[in-house]
Amino acid sequence: MPSILVAGATGNTGQGVVRTLSNLFSTGNALPNHQIIALTRSLQSPAAQQLAKLPGVQVLEQNWVEITADWLKSHSVVRAFIASHVNTTQFAEESTFHVAALQAGVKYVVRISTNAPNVRPDCPAYYPRSHWAIETMLATPEFSALQWTSLQPNMFSPFGLFSAAEFIKKYRATGVQGTLELAISADAPVAMVDPDEIGVFAAHLLVLPDPSAHNKARYVVNGPVDTNGKEIVGWVEGHIGAKVEHVSYEDMSGLNSSPLLVELRKNNSPNVINSIQASPIPMWAGELSVSTTSKAVLELAPPQRTPEQVLRGILEV
């Protein structure tokens, strides 16, 4: 039976892809006689076990960076979704996946990129250059047999709102404020997007009877509304019932001390890894507003969850 492969099925966007595909298959609004293969690095993880309960989903323990053309053929993969990592090996590993897909006769791939203004060869941050290189490679004549669509999402709303949620939780527990550190600027509009809804859009692309209209497309995926730092401060004040005393906008200190970057610095050039601090520059310049959303996103599966709704959801967990 032909398969749709979801690499990174338990990740930020992958879970939305798998759930939406399962739902579309169950309601008959999808490709007939296809199955869903969801990849995970651990079958024992709670996310993997939840996905395994969904109709039409087969969860396999397999690291996508080790997938070969023979593996894809043996599992009858004809379409695939991939959300890569931000390691410095991204280009080598993701390009190897696409070469294997081409060799195996996979017909269509939907991949996750990063925000559109950064996907260029001279981006100061290192990882968007890898996305540019992958998209450039896929657009060459040598890859003409493999149709693809690259999704260029805005900042993920859970990441953009994490510090605000932690500020609220700490104040509720201790009555102490500290400084509210926000990665976004005070006034520049940014349409943060729920990563789950990026997965919903990707799934709708993957089940199209003929995806050729979206071949070689790069789609900007934003959330439904713009927000800014000052508005988020207002939400925080509403949740704590007090005025926020100290705010730091365009503050990357939380990311810089995150376990991800700490781990990346261990085995890579600090000069390369620290360049990630340049990635929000287009956001601070107001280049990631809702007005940039691609038409195809609005037509197929427009994101619905606002940042304010996402913040409430984080607080309820």
Side-chain angles (χ1 to χ4, degrees):
M1 180 182 294
S3 302
I4 298 179
L5 176 70
V6 181
T10 56
N12 287 326
T13 54
Q15 293 184 58
V17 176
V18 176
R19 286 194 296 266
T20 305
L21 285 175
S22 176
N23 181 61
L24 291 172
F25 277 32
S26 299
T27 57
N29 296 323
L31 296 173
N33 303 317
H34 283 63
Q35 64 176 349
I36 305 159
I37 297 178
L39 299 188
T40 180
R41 284 180 291 182
S42 173
L43 291 172
Q44 305 308 314
S45 71
Q49 292 180 4
Q50 287 297 318
L51 294 179
K53 298 176 183 178
L54 297 176
V57 175
Q58 179 186 13
V59 181
L60 299 180
E61 191 170 276
Q62 170 70 48
N63 191 336
W64 67 263
V65 303
E66 301 299 332
I67 284 177
T68 63
D70 286 342
W71 190 97
L72 292 169
K73 290 178 182 177
S74 68
H75 290 83
S76 303
V77 176
V78 294
R79 299 187 181 195
F81 168 86
I82 180 169
S84 192
H85 48 67
V86 296
N87 295 338
T88 55
T89 56
Q90 179 197 337
F91 177 80
E93 292 175 339
E94 188 180 343
S95 64
T96 297
F97 175 87
H98 293 302
V99 169
L102 180 67
Q103 294 174 339
V106 174
K107 300 302 182 185
Y108 182 48
V109 172
V110 177
R111 66 176 301 273
I112 299 295
S113 181
T114 189
N115 66 77
N118 272 339
V119 184
R120 63 183 200 272
D122 63 340
C123 181
Y126 73 92
Y127 70 91
R129 297 196 299 270
S130 293
H131 285 295
W132 171 83
I134 290 290
E135 293 178 0
T136 301
M137 180 190 79
L138 291 174
T140 61
E142 289 81 356
F143 277 84
S144 60
L146 176 63
Q147 297 189 78
W148 59 278
T149 304
S150 194
L151 308 187
Q152 300 177 330
N154 207 324
M155 169 183 270
F156 289 2
S157 47
F159 172 77
L161 297 167
F162 177 79
S163 61
E166 290 300 299
F167 184 95
I168 294 168
K169 292 175 181 178
K170 179 180 178 181
Y171 182 82
R172 287 175 173 175
T174 67
V176 177
Q177 286 202 15
T179 299
L180 174 57
E181 301 169 347
L182 296 176
I184 69 174
S185 67
D187 299 299
V190 54
M192 291 186 286
V193 61
D194 184 342
D196 193 68
E197 295 193 307
I198 302 171
V200 171
F201 175 60
H204 279 79
L205 287 170
L206 287 164
V207 300
L208 290 172
D210 180 7
S212 59
H214 305 280
N215 185 29
K216 297 183 174 63
R218 300 165 174 86
Y219 290 140
V220 175
V221 187
N222 294 315
V225 297
D226 287 328
T227 189
N228 58 39
K230 289 179 179 177
E231 187 172 31
I232 292 174
V233 170
W235 300 339
V236 171
E237 291 176 340
H239 282 285
I240 67 175
K243 182 176 177 58
V244 174
E245 298 169 358
H246 303 286
V247 184
S248 178
Y249 297 108
E250 300 182 9
D251 192 321
M252 296 290 286
S253 57
L255 174 63
N256 292 334
S257 61
S258 68
L260 172 63
L261 260 65
V262 170
E263 187 64 28
L264 285 172
R265 290 190 187 103
K266 289 181 180 178
N267 302 309
N268 297 280
S269 162
N271 184 46
V272 172
I273 301 306
N274 291 337
S275 72
I276 202 170
Q277 297 177 64
S279 58
I281 291 174
M283 177 175 66
W284 296 337
E287 297 177 21
L288 304 183
S289 70
V290 71
S291 64
T292 63
T293 306
S294 293
K295 183 180 178 182
V297 178
L298 301 176
E299 291 176 343
L300 281 178
Q304 303 292 327
R305 293 192 73 196
T306 66
E308 191 171 12
Q309 290 172 326
V310 171
L311 179 59
R312 288 199 298 266
I314 296 173
L315 294 173
E316 291 171 358
V317 174

